[in-house]
Structures are given as C-alpha cells and as structure tokens.
Amino acid sequence: MAMTVIDSEGIADEMLPVEQLAAQMRLADGYDEVPGVSARLRLRLRAAIGTVERRLGKALIRREFVLSGTARGGCRVVLPIAPVDAVMSVFLLRNGISIPLGDALVAPDAVHPVVILQQTVAEGDWLRISARAGFGPWSAIPDDLQQAVLLTAEALDAGEGHGLGKAAAALVAPFRSVRIGGTH
C-alpha cells in the first residue's frame, strides 16, 4: 500500500532543541536576544529533523500523522512510518463518504508497524489513518540521531548544501531499514 504521510501537528517550538544547536554552533551567550536568531535556529532544526525523518522513514519527535492511500485488502495495513505507538482513527473513504472503521490496534515494530483493523477492507479501498508516531520528546531520541539532526541543522545554517552530510549519514545508517527485494 502506497501511503501519503502528512504531519498533522507539526513540531511545537518548545520541543525543539534550540539551546543544544546554539551550543553546538558555539553561539555566544545572549544569542537569543538578537532579533531573528532563535527563529532561524528553529527553522534549521525543523528542516534537519525532516531530512533525517525522510531518510529513515521514522518520526523522531512524537506527534500525530495522517496517512492515506489505497489498501491491499484484508485487515492488516503496514505503515510507512515508525515507531507508532497509537492509532487514533481509521476511516474508509468511498464515493466521497467517510466511514469510520472503529478502533484499530497497532502491532509495534521499530521498522514496519502494522495496523490491525476490526473490519476487512477490499483491495483498492482508500484509507485514512490518524496515528501517533515518534520516539517521544527530544530527550527520548537516540543520541546518534540527535547528533545527526544537530549536524544537519548546523550545515544548513552555514549554507553547506542540502540533505545529510557524510558524518550525519554515518550516524543514521544503523537506524535505516534494509530492504532486500520487493516491498510489503
């Protein structure tokens, strides 16, 4: 099932490790009193978090996502984002009508969480799933991933290209899922 993943909440300003990024960048005390600096660091952090999340297929800071796409049929849906700790709602969209499918369980899996539906859906049915995904607050994210985000944000702020640098890519490599042929 190919699904579109939309971050429905975004990351709140207070969840971002602005002070850690400022320390990594060796900014002087009082940097936050200079107009625009804190806002610029928050933007860089959001971009860096998004870059790492896209590379991994994992959410770092826990928040709500809306996933939508066509079903393969049956009562199990493999999600394209991890780790997922809760499913808030599942809707079947048919002929412009949204039909609630009731409570769903999530079989926790660090790589490919599976939503178990109460009702079977047909192949090609369009589903909309609201799920909460992520490791938790910043402090719950593994240290290597935190450092990859900070390195990426620092590079973005210095104008050193897009995407992960070599050091950040090496830090996230152990967290990437390995795919050997085919898909789910």
Side-chain angles (χ1 to χ4, degrees):
M1 175 173 172
M3 297 190 95
T4 302
V5 179
I6 298 172
D7 183 347
S8 63
E9 290 183 342
I11 301 171
D13 287 350
E14 59 272 6
M15 300 289 287
L16 295 169
V18 175
E19 294 79 25
Q20 282 183 290
L21 177 59
Q24 172 135 341
M25 295 172 64
R26 297 177 183 86
L27 296 181
D29 289 340
Y31 73 89
D32 54 340
E33 295 173 15
V34 177
V37 172
S38 291
R40 188 185 83 229
L41 295 180
R42 285 192 300 273
L43 285 172
R44 300 303 187 260
L45 283 165
R46 282 190 174 88
I49 289 169
T51 299
V52 171
E53 287 180 340
R54 282 186 299 280
R55 174 68 66 97
L56 294 175
K58 295 181 189 301
L60 299 180
I61 295 176
R62 186 174 294 141
R63 58 200 188 276
E64 191 171 321
F65 291 85
V66 175
L67 305 104
S68 58
T70 56
R72 288 189 168 178
C75 61
R76 298 171 60 87
V77 179
V78 178
L79 298 180
I81 192 165
V84 173
D85 70 343
V87 174
M88 275 66 77
S89 65
V90 180
F91 288 90
L92 171 66
L93 303 172
R94 189 179 285 153
N95 299 325
I97 299 171
S98 182
I99 304 163
L101 294 182
D103 293 336
L105 299 174
V106 63
D109 183 311
V111 179
H112 301 290
V114 176
V115 172
I116 302 166
L117 306 172
Q118 288 184 353
Q119 301 176 35
T120 301
V121 294
E123 185 174 350
D125 278 347
W126 189 263
L127 296 177
R128 189 173 143 255
I129 300 170
S130 293
R132 189 173 58 226
F135 289 98
W138 179 256
S139 60
I141 297 169
D143 292 341
D144 286 352
L145 296 180
Q146 286 184 15
Q147 188 59 36
V149 167
L150 295 174
L151 286 171
T152 303
E154 186 176 19
L156 287 169
D157 195 64
E160 296 174 1
H162 308 285
L164 297 179
K166 287 182 180 182
L171 289 167
V172 302
F175 296 92
R176 292 187 72 188
S177 58
V178 178
R179 295 178 72 177
I180 301 174
T183 61
H184 278 350

